[in-house]
Each structure stands twice: as structure tokens, then as C-alpha cells.
Amino acid sequence: MNIYLPLKLLIAFMLFCLSFMANAQNETPKDSISQKLNEVVITQNKKTFTNSNGNIKVDVANSIYNAIPNPVDLLSRLPLVQVSPNRESVSIVGKGNPLIYIDNQRVGMNELNTLAVADIKTIEIIQNPSSKYEAEGRAVILITRKLSKKDSFRTEISETASFKKNYNNYLGFNSSFKKNKLEWKANFNYNKLERWENHSIAYRIPQAGIISDYDVSAVTKRNQYIFGGGLFYKINEEDYFSVNINGKSQGDNFDINTFTFNKNQNEENNVYTFSDNSSSKNFINSFVNYSKKIKAIDTKLFAGFQYSNFNQHLWSLVQNNYNETELELSQGRDQKFNVDAFSGRIDLEKKFKNEMNWEYGGLYSAAKSKSNYDVFDYDKNENTTFDYNFKEANLAAYSQLSGKIKKAAFSVGLRIENTNVKGKYSTDNSFLIDKNYTNLFPKAQFSYAIDSTKSLSVDYSKSISRPNYSSLSMIATYINPYFIYGSNINLGPTFMDVVSTVFQYHDKSLKVTLYQNKNPVYQDFVFDNQNNVLTFTEKNFQKESGFNIELTVPFTYRFWTNTNSLVFTKNKIEDENALFNSSKPYLYYYSNNTFKLPKDFTFVLSFWGATKQKEGVFERNAKLIFDMSLAKSFGKNWNCTLSYNDIFKNTIYTERFTINDIVSRARYLVDANEVSITLRYSFGKIKESEFKEKSVNENESRIR
């Protein structure tokens, strides 16, 4: 695709928008300046990024980031945040997968995708969360939604045209209304997408005499509907009741084209694989919250219940063409996956007069999933079917005490969790998976204010990371006759110990972190020598350890605001079945440059990158990605933003590793080179907003 043609069209369209809205703005009568002065408005430029003890907070509502059409793309533009090539998970550099919160609500990737960017006020990256947060995860991404304070309602309509390899369109509607004690919120988005993706893997299995490589590409046509709504009722100044429901529904149609070379001993084959696929994914989440102040004991009580459901149906018809002959039917695949999750929790908080705060509570959660596998093999003329059932229950209790003594502040907490996991085929009486374990998770944080400009803090935490439910299913994806992507029902949790210290000077910080992870989850190969099929899956490695040195340096000069993050990392991943090469330090860097220009223009140039990574088992390539945006505001109602992302088309991931005596080299191309234009119109205002939610299901992020 010639990028210059859509770029010229977009610039012309933006100029038309600017002209149209400028004329609309100039329709005010000239003699209006002689009218009575009703108010004086004092404005102050807000910083897009702020830094406190290594935690970075981003002002989304008042920055150019509010024009990004979806939350995952928004996170990918932020410091330290990395989005996976398949866009199904996010990680923090040196921290792994974070917990994601919307207000007080724990969410996963599915619910994150139901959030309207127009409703986001700030995003904070918390690198050492206290025991107030769940034991799962070493970091937290805290998203705070907007709280409007004037008038009676607010509605926003946005339209984004995105040009990548194909055209993508995002249409969004977001509204809120408040009257007396009752508040209502709703959002609806319709996205019509056409996603391109490509990856290749070359591998050798010396003991079997196999050399193979494949290159696969796919174009997905997707209709996506995102919706949400909720009611909040303020009983009195201390008590409230709320109910909320949100969801996402999408249908995909995609052809997968794979070119494969395979050499097995002296036999060579060149295979073209064509698969016709359709997929539907539906997610819905609902919860009810109740908060009450118990005045007799001066304690705040929160109680909540939450229910989530995710279901997926994947149908595929696969054909193979060996050595340029003709396409022949190979497999018909019909797979279904469904997970239901329920949880209930109680939290209590008591504040004492000496600035002490005691929080304690408990939670019960249960999840049940079912995988249906039905595959017909045309070559063997046989059908394979089975159902796999999985159940998990978690019972947790916690207590945390925090406070301040003169210049020293502290927070100490302990959490205990019991987990019961069972998994079996529906035709079996015995369980394939039967686990029951109890763990303690202590957390502590101490900070000391040296003076008004300098502070020092020390943190310790023990946490856990559990695999998401779909990773524990039996769903598999056919790539070619020799290679499939599969799951692993035997995956277990990862346990993490972290110690860190932060020195803060004004808004600059230096942070040092030491960590060790037991049973981390990484890629694995399993070879079936009977059928000569290699399965790419995941497994628990033995251990991972390392350290980070992180420097955050923001500064402002006149109309230029700059934020820089540098992370010096050494990470070592080890396993007895994997070849350990070497572990060497690498550097991650991020820079955001915002320029406030005349006439309400804002220009942003940002880039991030990483040097080559050698992490013991894995070796990954260096990267350098540039993005830029230009935004123009027109009064209080109109905003137009032009963006050009991944300017030099460098979003390419390569990875090398050897495990189970299988040598592999993978390459992933991400369709990130994008020109987009966003036009947003908002009208109305809202009075003082009181809308609140709080998460009940601590395992919601695993529902995918």
C-alpha cells in the first residue's frame, strides 16, 4: 500500500475539518465582546506525565492520548508498557504481566477492551503495589475514569479512520447523566476492522533428522461491538449502591495461508496450507457493589458480587497442497471454549486518629470452564472428539496496616490464599489435574522523607501469577501438517519475590530492583515422533532471576515537555531441558516529547526501544519505534487529531531458543505502521459525579 496517498488525503481532510470548525467558532457576533463579563477562568497547563517514587502517572484526559481509538493501543504508547504481538496481553518492563484496575475494579484484557478511551482520566503505573492489591502480579496499571463536575449531562461522539495495510474504522459513543442521587453511564462502540498479521518459525530437530520452516500470514475481517452501562445510587454522604454491566462481542472471518518446507531424513516436501476460519468471541461482566459506613465502630464496609462469562467458537476447514499438486482436504476443526466465573468479597477499613489505617477482608471466587474438541481427519477418515472440564476455587483473607510516624511512612500486610484446582475429561472418572495448595504473601513498604525535595523508600513483596483459563484448555490451532499451536493443562502458578529501593529527588527518581521467580511460564516444544508433529505450547521453567536499574527523568522547558525512562536490566531464565547460552544486560529506553504550539495545536514525538536481549534461554532482537501526533482543539466541543505510528515500520519481534533439543528461530511482523485521523465532538456537562465500582473477582484477568 502506498502510504503517501492516504497521508495526503488525511491531511486534506484534516485541513477541511480545521476550516469547518474554525468557521463555526467564528460565528460569534462581533459586539459580544462588549457584553457583561460573567466569569474569569484561570487555566494551568497540566503535565502529561508525573513521577513519584518510580510510579508514573499519565494525564490522558488533557493530552493527545485521548484521541487513541482503543485502550490497548493507548497502553502501548506509555512508558514501560509492552503489548504482546497478538495484543492479548500486556507486560511491564522488568515486572512481567501487571494487574489492571479500572477505578477500584480488577479487570482483564476483555474488560479493558470494553472501556471507552474518552472515559479515561488518568493511568498510573504502580511498580510496587501494597497488599491492598491482590497477591497476583508484581505491578499494577491503575486506570481512573473521568469525573465531570458541571451541568447535568455529557455525551461524546468520536470517529477514527485508520490506515494500516488495510482500512480500519472506529465509531464510539460515550454518555453520562446525573440527577440528584442517581447517576447513569453508558458507552457503545462499533469497530469494523481488517487486521493483517504474519510470522515465521524455522526449527531443527537433530535427533529425528528434521529441518523445517514455515511462513504464515492472515487477514482477519472483524466486526466488533463494545458496550457498557451502569447505575450508581448515593444513599447518603457515606453509603452507596451500584450495579454495572459491560461486554464485547466480535465475529471474525479469516483465511490463513502457510508456506512450509519440511525435510525429514531424506524426504523433502514443500506444502501450501490454506485454512478457512470463522470465530466468534463474546464476553460479559456484571457486578453489584454496596458500601456502608458503620458509625458505631467507625469502620467502612464494602461488599460486592461479580459474575463473568467468556465463550469462544472456532471453526476451521484445512486444505494442503503438497509439492505444487492440488489442494486436498486435510481437517475439519470445530472447537468451543466457555468459562464462567463468580466471586464475592468483603472489605473493611478503619482509620485511627494517629494517622493509622487498618484494612482487612476476605474473598471467595470460583471458575468453571469447558473445552469441546471435535476434529475430523480426511486423510485417516476418522473423527476425534473429547470434552475437558476445569474447575478452580480460591479462598483468601488479608490484613494491612499503614500509617505515618513523623517523616517515616510504612505499610505492612499479609495475605493468605487457598487454591483448589481440578481438571478431567468428561468420559473419565479420575482427575488429570488435582491440586490443593495454601500460600502466604507478605508485603512491606517503608519510606522516609529526607527533606522537602528528597525521599528514600524500600519495598518487599511476595506475589503469584496464575495462567489464564484459556491456557488451561484443550484448544489448538493447526498451522501445517507438521506444526500446531496448543495449550497446556498442566501449567502451574509462578511465585515471585521482589526487593526494591527508590531514591526520589523532585520529580526524578532512581530505582534498583532485585527479583527471583519460581516456575515462570515460557514457550515450549513437544515433539510427537509417532506422527512427526511438533506442538508449540507453554510450560513452567525452573527459575528466573535478575535486577533492574531504572532512571526516570522528566523536565519542562517553555513549550516543550519531555519525559524519559531508562531501564538497565539483566534477566536470567533457566531450565534443565533448555540450552543456556548467556545472560547479558540490556537497555530499555522511552522518550516522550510534547510541544504546546500556538493556536491550540499540540505536537507529540515519542519513541521507545530496547537493545538486544540475551536472557539465558532466550535471545531477542533490538527495537526502535517512533510515533508522532498533531492535535488541534476548537473551543470546548471539537477536537481533531492526526497520528502517524511506527513511522519506520520497525515493529518486528525475533526470538531464538533451544529447548528439548529443538532449535528454533521465530519472527513476528506486527501491522503497526498506521496513519489515522480522529474527529471528536462532545456536548453537555455533568454535575458532581459520584460513580464508583470496585472489583470483586480477583481472577478476572484470566478469563480469556
Side-chain angles (χ1 to χ4, degrees):
M1 174 182 175
N2 185 352
I3 195 65
Y4 296 106
L5 178 58
L7 181 58
K8 291 177 181 178
L9 292 174
L10 287 171
I11 292 174
F13 179 61
M14 188 174 183
L15 291 174
F16 169 77
C17 294
L18 302 183
S19 174
F20 167 76
M21 290 182 285
N23 290 334
Q25 213 180 8
N26 291 332
E27 289 177 359
T28 305
K30 295 181 179 180
D31 61 353
S32 62
I33 59 174
S34 63
Q35 296 177 358
K36 180 179 178 181
L37 181 65
N38 292 322
E39 62 179 348
V40 176
V41 179
I42 300 175
T43 61
Q44 179 182 7
N45 290 330
K46 295 183 178 181
K47 291 183 178 180
T48 301
F49 296 89
T50 56
N51 173 45
S52 176
N53 290 325
N55 298 326
I56 297 175
K57 191 171 185 177
V58 186
D59 182 1
V60 176
N62 299 295
S63 71
I64 205 167
Y65 292 107
N66 63 20
I68 297 175
N70 64 80
V72 176
D73 282 345
L74 171 57
L75 290 181
S76 70
R77 306 285 194 274
L78 304 185
L80 307 177
V81 180
Q82 302 280 277
V83 175
S84 64
N86 62 9
R87 298 173 56 82
E88 292 185 357
S89 66
V90 297
S91 62
I92 304 295
V93 174
K95 292 288 185 179
N97 299 115
L99 303 178
I100 302 175
Y101 273 78
I102 299 176
D103 295 330
N104 292 319
Q105 159 180 251
R106 167 80 184 278
V107 302
M109 290 297 292
N110 278 305
E111 190 160 5
L112 175 66
N113 279 307
T114 69
L115 178 66
V117 173
D119 206 23
I120 298 176
K121 181 181 179 182
T122 61
I123 296 178
E124 185 173 5
I125 302 166
I126 303 173
Q127 298 204 59
N128 289 96
S130 67
S131 55
K132 166 186 176 181
Y133 298 98
E134 287 74 26
E136 188 169 350
R138 288 168 49 190
V140 167
I141 294 177
L142 177 61
I143 300 172
T144 303
R145 301 198 300 173
K146 289 180 182 177
L147 298 176
S148 302
K149 296 181 179 180
K150 294 181 180 180
D151 294 341
S152 57
F153 74 95
R154 183 173 180 85
T155 297
E156 185 169 278
I157 301 171
S158 63
E159 161 66 21
T160 299
S162 166
F163 295 85
K164 296 186 178 181
K165 282 186 178 294
N166 301 296
Y167 175 72
N168 297 272
N169 193 83
Y170 303 83
L171 177 65
F173 169 88
N174 189 62
S175 184
S176 56
F177 173 79
K178 182 177 185 293
K179 184 176 179 63
N180 298 326
K181 295 182 177 182
L182 186 66
E183 185 169 356
W184 168 80
K185 282 180 177 285
N187 69 276
F188 177 80
N189 297 75
Y190 170 62
N191 303 326
K192 191 171 182 62
L193 312 175
E194 194 167 347
R195 295 287 175 85
W196 175 89
E197 55 187 322
N198 173 271
H199 78 269
S200 60
I201 293 181
Y203 60 90
R204 292 185 290 111
I205 310 176
Q207 70 271 25
I210 292 176
I211 299 174
S212 186
D213 67 76
Y214 73 81
D215 185 276
V216 57
S217 60
V219 175
T220 301
K221 295 182 178 180
R222 174 177 299 164
N223 289 316
Q224 188 177 77
Y225 302 89
I226 297 171
F227 60 89
L231 291 171
F232 171 81
Y233 182 73
K234 182 177 180 181
I235 302 171
N236 53 48
E237 290 300 321
E238 301 288 347
D239 307 337
Y240 71 85
F241 172 83
S242 68
V243 58
N244 193 80
I245 183 170
N246 49 59
K248 180 181 72 171
S249 177
Q250 72 180 41
D252 296 345
N253 289 291
F254 54 100
D255 297 336
I256 300 179
N257 297 274
T258 307
F259 296 89
T260 305
F261 168 78
N262 183 270
K263 181 179 180 181
N264 189 341
Q265 303 293 338
N266 296 320
E267 180 183 355
E268 293 187 9
N269 285 295
N270 288 283
V271 185
Y272 166 63
T273 302
F274 173 81
S275 63
D276 182 18
N277 306 272
S278 66
S279 170
S280 64
K281 292 182 180 180
N282 299 288
F283 170 75
I284 193 166
N285 178 67
S286 59
F287 52 88
V288 177
N289 291 339
Y290 174 66
S291 179
K292 180 176 179 57
K293 180 69 174 291
I294 306 174
K295 296 181 180 179
I297 56 175
D298 193 24
T299 298
K300 186 176 181 180
L301 167 71
F302 170 83
F305 300 93
Q306 187 168 358
Y307 168 76
S308 302
N309 171 267
F310 173 75
N311 69 76
Q312 177 181 5
H313 184 192
L314 175 62
W315 174 89
S316 304
L317 182 63
V318 183
Q319 302 176 73
N320 288 314
N321 181 333
Y322 287 84
N323 302 311
E324 299 183 356
T325 53
E326 62 180 359
L327 282 171
E328 296 181 353
L329 289 172
S330 176
Q331 288 189 0
R333 305 173 68 86
D334 189 8
Q335 301 176 89
K336 298 177 182 178
F337 174 69
N338 184 85
V339 57
D340 293 281
F342 167 82
S343 62
R345 69 182 299 161
I346 294 178
D347 297 306
L348 297 106
E349 179 180 359
K350 182 176 178 60
K351 293 185 178 181
F352 299 92
K353 294 182 180 180
N354 57 354
E355 295 191 62
M356 297 294 178
N357 191 38
W358 182 30
E359 298 171 89
Y360 56 101
L363 175 139
Y364 172 78
S365 65
K368 179 174 65 175
S369 70
K370 185 175 183 178
S371 305
N372 305 108
Y373 182 91
D374 187 347
V375 174
F376 181 77
D377 192 315
Y378 288 91
D379 298 327
K380 299 178 181 179
N381 195 30
E382 64 180 25
N383 197 62
T384 303
T385 62
F386 57 79
D387 295 337
Y388 178 74
N389 299 316
F390 174 86
K391 292 182 179 180
E392 181 179 291
N394 291 281
L395 185 63
Y398 75 94
S399 180
Q400 175 179 293
L401 182 66
S402 58
K404 187 175 182 180
I405 302 174
K406 295 182 179 180
K407 292 185 176 183
F410 71 92
S411 174
V412 291
L414 180 66
R415 189 178 189 91
I416 182 171
E417 293 188 359
N418 173 261
T419 303
N420 189 2
V421 182
K422 294 183 182 296
K424 71 181 187 70
Y425 293 111
S426 58
T427 55
D428 294 344
N429 293 322
S430 59
F431 289 99
L432 288 173
I433 308 296
D434 192 356
K435 301 177 183 178
N436 193 315
Y437 53 90
T438 301
N439 300 101
L440 294 174
F441 300 99
K443 290 191 176 184
Q445 183 179 54
F446 301 92
S447 61
Y448 179 76
I450 300 171
D451 55 33
S452 60
T453 62
K454 297 185 287 292
S455 65
L456 184 67
S457 63
V458 179
D459 302 89
Y460 167 75
S461 67
K462 184 179 180 66
S463 56
I464 187 173
S465 176
R466 298 182 177 91
N468 63 66
Y469 296 123
S470 62
S471 296
L472 303 172
S473 72
M474 300 297 291
I475 298 292
T477 302
Y478 184 101
I479 299 298
N480 60 46
Y482 318 104
F483 195 97
I484 64 173
Y485 277 86
S487 305
N488 183 359
I489 62 175
N490 294 299
L491 282 180
T494 300
F495 295 92
M496 301 164 284
D497 288 276
V498 182
V499 178
S500 65
T501 182
V502 181
F503 175 73
Q504 178 100 15
Y505 177 66
H506 290 292
D507 57 354
K508 302 167 181 62
S509 65
L510 177 65
K511 181 175 184 177
V512 179
T513 302
L514 302 174
Y515 60 88
Q516 181 169 294
N517 302 335
K518 181 182 178 182
N519 300 326
V521 175
Y522 284 101
Q523 297 95 324
D524 184 34
F525 286 119
V526 178
F527 180 60
D528 179 358
N529 56 14
Q530 298 295 320
N531 298 302
N532 289 324
V533 174
L534 184 66
T535 300
F536 187 69
T537 181
E538 293 179 319
K539 64 166 280 186
N540 290 101
F541 280 52
Q542 286 180 312
K543 68 177 181 178
E544 178 180 10
S545 59
F547 67 86
N548 301 325
I549 301 175
E550 181 182 336
L551 179 65
T552 302
V553 184
F555 75 88
T556 300
Y557 179 73
R558 295 184 179 178
F559 58 89
W560 176 28
T561 301
N562 173 263
T563 299
N564 300 288
S565 292
L566 298 173
V567 184
F568 182 81
T569 298
K570 185 176 182 181
N571 188 43
K572 183 167 66 173
I573 303 168
E574 301 174 78
D575 189 80
E576 61 181 5
N577 295 319
L579 175 65
F580 186 92
N581 291 311
S582 63
S583 177
K584 295 183 178 180
Y586 67 91
L587 180 67
Y588 164 89
Y589 42 93
Y590 172 92
S591 180
N592 178 279
N593 302 270
T594 302
F595 301 89
K596 292 290 186 180
L597 304 177
K599 304 293 184 180
D600 288 328
F601 278 97
T602 301
F603 176 73
V604 174
L605 174 65
S606 64
F607 62 89
W608 71 271
T611 58
K612 190 174 183 178
Q613 302 169 44
K614 292 187 175 182
E615 301 179 302
V617 173
F618 297 95
E619 181 179 316
R620 300 182 175 94
N621 65 308
K623 291 176 284 292
L624 180 59
I625 314 297
F626 283 84
D627 303 317
M628 63 180 182
S629 300
L630 177 66
K632 166 70 173 172
S633 297
F634 299 85
K636 298 180 180 179
N637 301 103
W638 290 95
N639 181 277
C640 197
T641 302
L642 179 67
S643 301
Y644 191 10
N645 301 315
D646 188 16
I647 298 171
F648 301 108
K649 301 182 181 181
N650 284 337
T651 308
I652 302 171
Y653 298 84
T654 64
E655 187 174 65
R656 298 170 182 260
F657 65 99
T658 299
I659 187 168
N660 295 326
D661 296 322
I662 299 170
V663 184
S664 75
R665 182 182 73 253
R667 184 173 185 261
Y668 301 87
L669 299 179
V670 180
D671 188 16
N673 180 250
E674 175 189 38
V675 177
S676 68
I677 185 166
T678 300
L679 186 63
R680 176 178 286 115
Y681 176 71
S682 58
F683 58 92
K685 298 180 182 178
I686 194 166
K687 296 179 181 178
E688 188 176 357
S689 177
E690 303 280 353
F691 202 94
K692 301 176 185 177
E693 301 102 17
K694 188 170 183 177
S695 174
V696 176
N697 186 3
E698 297 178 353
N699 292 303
E700 186 178 344
S701 61
R702 301 167 62 200
I703 304 175
R704 56 181 174 85

